[in-house]
Amino acid sequence: MATGVLPFGQRTLERSRARTYAPIESVWEGEDAQLIEQLLHYYPKKTPRRILDATFNGRRFWRGSKRSVVGIDIDLGHRPAIVADNTRMPFGESFFDVVVYDPPHIPNQGRDKLKDFNTRFGLGIKSPKEKGYAFSHTFPPFVKEAHRVLRNEGLLFAKIADYVHDHRYQWAHVELVQAAKDAGFVPCDCIIKIRKGPIIDPKWKVAHHSRRRHCYWLVFRKSENCE
Ligand SMILES: C[S@@+](CC[C@H](N)C(=O)[O-])C[C@H]1O[C@@H](n2cnc3c(N)ncnc32)[C@H](O)[C@@H]1O
């Protein structure tokens, strides 16, 4: 619809958005907390008031933030405000404006206790052998729940990393996009986050895969359209 034929209130909102518009970069090298603040200004059509962090852990995403955020985590040890499973959330429908999601990024290593990825990468929970020790099977039930608890036009911001496991490249971000589409989200944007150095375990042998120095921040909207 052309701006000229918008109703008065919407026209005012469009004008104020145009005044404050600053494009967001597709590559991010800073802290997640700063990027999230930019996402929260850039994508919502209305100022977001109810924000859920569905994988709270050490709450690093909210360092220095004055926002009031509901944080859940399945692991009591992180002392979240609410201990809950994000695939069965204790909230009503259409409650939140924004859901933030940062699932465990790499699989646990079966029974190999030497590779203490649990502590280092906040896996929190273990994945069974029949799931390849990985977590992508949790994406579909999570995005279904995120869709339920978000209001229409609500946003899901997800930090997701691909990885190499079981001698294969594991396309976690593709699996998440597919699961989100199946749940009714429209995938709207992809920002590449770069870290200074790759995650390297000294026990790794020679491997013919590039060392991953990036992950993605994906933006989904509970809507038919992105804009
Ligand atoms: C990568 S960490 C999140 C780090 C967090 N964003 C931060 O900045 O500190 C992943 C977290 O997800 C939690 N988690 C894993 N499965 C979950 C589930 N089904 N429901 C809720 N939390 C879950 C883990 O306990 C872990 O704390």
Side-chain angles (χ1 to χ4, degrees):
M1 193 189 282
T3 310
V5 292
L6 286 174
F8 179 72
Q10 209 174 332
R11 204 161 56 224
T12 313
L13 181 66
E14 291 280 311
R15 282 197 189 128
S16 100
R17 281 167 71 93
R19 267 201 305 276
T20 55
Y21 176 76
I24 202 161
E25 300 284 337
S26 67
V27 177
W28 181 257
E29 296 185 60
E31 295 296 321
D32 287 316
Q34 292 162 340
L35 177 61
I36 289 174
E37 200 47 41
Q38 288 204 14
L39 302 181
L40 288 168
H41 276 102
Y42 193 67
Y43 294 100
K45 293 180 181 172
K46 288 197 291 186
T47 306
R49 310 234 176 260
R50 291 179 175 167
I51 300 172
L52 170 69
D53 185 332
T55 45
F56 208 42
N57 192 274
R59 64 207 72 184
R60 295 176 203 91
F61 284 175
W62 310 102
R63 265 189 202 145
S65 171
K66 294 200 176 79
R67 291 183 187 270
S68 154
V69 174
V70 177
I72 67 169
D73 201 291
I74 202 166
D75 187 345
L76 175 69
H78 299 306
R79 291 193 274 157
I82 303 169
V83 178
D85 182 347
N86 59 31
T87 64
R88 286 181 301 158
M89 297 199 238
F91 308 112
E93 283 177 26
S94 307
F95 188 76
F96 290 102
D97 301 308
V98 172
V99 174
V100 179
Y101 181 53
D102 177 21
H105 288 180
I106 51 166
N108 53 268
Q109 302 295 306
R111 282 189 229 150
D112 188 348
K113 294 208 169 46
L114 289 174
K115 296 181 181 163
D116 185 18
F117 288 180
N118 254 34
T119 316
R120 287 172 59 199
F121 303 123
L123 295 187
I125 47 162
K126 288 230 166 199
S127 174
K129 184 179 177 201
E130 51 279 13
K131 303 290 184 193
Y133 304 115
F135 294 92
S136 50
H137 62 284
T138 62
F139 297 166
F142 165 72
V143 285
K144 194 167 165 230
E145 271 297 81
H147 194 269
R148 186 183 67 76
V149 301
L150 275 170
R151 64 167 177 78
N152 284 338
E153 299 297 330
L155 291 156
L156 167 62
F157 300 146
K159 182 182 176 186
I160 190 89
D162 296 339
Y163 54 93
V164 175
H165 179 60
D166 206 11
H167 309 287
R168 293 199 183 147
Y169 189 99
Q170 309 284 340
W171 297 85
H173 84 281
V174 176
E175 291 176 78
L176 182 63
V177 168
Q178 192 54 55
K181 281 167 77 174
D182 291 346
F185 282 103
V186 54
C188 291
D189 218 338
C190 173
I191 293 168
I192 298 168
K193 183 198 157 159
I194 300 191
R195 46 182 291 132
K196 289 191 186 76
I199 295 172
I200 290 184
D201 189 300
K203 289 184 274 306
W204 284 346
K205 304 191 186 91
V206 174
H208 297 286
H209 286 104
S210 54
R211 294 301 192 212
R212 234 139 305 284
R213 208 155 68 77
H214 70 280
C215 62
Y216 303 101
W217 270 98
L218 304 180
V219 178
F220 302 95
R221 193 182 288 277
K222 179 176 172 176
S223 176
E224 298 286 312
N225 304 303
C226 289
E227 299 290 328

